[in-house]
Amino acid sequence: MKPVPTLRQAARSLLGDCAGNATIEFVLIAPALFYLVFTIGELGVIMTRSAMLDRGMSVAVRDLRLGLTPGVTHDQIKDRICEAAFLLGSCDEVLMLELVPLPDAASYPPGQVACVDRSSEITPVTTFNPGARSEIMLVRACLVADPLFPGVGLGAMLPKDASGGYAILAQSAFMNEPE
């Protein structure tokens, strides 16, 4: 019969065993690594969405500035932005536009950019004034998007609305062509 090891012998045997070292290192390092990967992924998606919204705004504002679409409406500009800005999902449902004339180059409209409230059936009213010839115009857009990883990393830290989406803003100014 084999002798029963003493407590000291059993402890020495366990402390000398290195079989679980890799698991302990993984448990200590993995959460930080996953946090970093999810944060970088979320940041990449936010930057891509922002760049696409800026691209859509640039294309639509270029058409406005050159007067390619006379008598333009809110929905036409919104459609043009969404058409030029791919990778934004259901862009026409979550995009809010504001077009206002600026009395002079130093003035700026008061208040924040209005965004779509997806938790409410009522759409807020925004100003849409195509302006007169030789007038400086400001276009502001707000797109509400859902985080890719809402509970981890940057996705958890973003300021969100009641529906869990965050706002991506874009703005552009131009002068209407003189007659």
Side-chain angles (χ1 to χ4, degrees):
M1 184 166 3
K2 217 172 175 185
V4 177
T6 65
L7 186 58
R8 178 178 278 174
Q9 290 172 337
R12 190 175 291 152
S13 170
L14 286 176
L15 290 175
D17 188 11
C18 296
N21 282 351
T23 304
I24 292 171
E25 290 173 4
F26 178 78
V27 168
L28 292 175
I29 300 296
L33 183 64
F34 287 138
Y35 181 86
L36 184 64
V37 167
F38 288 137
T39 298
I40 290 170
E42 189 73 52
L43 185 60
V45 169
I46 291 170
M47 290 177 65
T48 302
R49 288 175 177 165
S50 179
M52 289 295 107
L53 182 59
D54 284 340
R55 180 189 187 286
M57 283 281 288
S58 294
V59 170
V61 166
R62 183 178 58 227
D63 292 349
L64 279 172
R65 185 180 63 236
L66 297 176
L68 298 178
T69 51
V72 69
T73 65
H74 177 271
D75 291 335
Q76 289 172 331
I77 295 176
K78 192 172 175 180
D79 290 342
R80 184 67 177 133
I81 290 172
C82 291
E83 177 185 308
F86 33 88
L87 301 176
L88 293 181
S90 56
C91 172
D92 51 344
E93 296 172 11
V94 293
L95 182 66
M96 180 74 69
L97 290 177
E98 179 182 19
L99 177 65
V100 293
L102 298 177
D104 56 44
S107 64
Y108 195 79
Q112 294 183 349
V113 181
C115 292
V116 172
D117 184 1
R118 298 183 301 178
S119 64
S120 173
E121 293 293 322
I122 300 170
T123 304
V125 177
T126 58
T127 305
F128 187 82
N129 179 357
R133 292 290 177 191
S134 300
E135 195 167 30
I136 298 172
M137 303 298 296
L138 177 70
V139 183
R140 300 193 295 183
C142 177
L143 179 92
V144 177
D146 290 320
L148 191 60
F149 306 111
V152 182
L154 184 61
M157 294 184 289
L158 289 169
K160 299 179 193 78
D161 63 5
S163 66
Y166 61 90
I168 299 174
L169 306 175
Q171 61 185 4
S172 184
F174 65 96
M175 178 178 255
N176 280 331
E177 288 292 319
E179 291 189 47

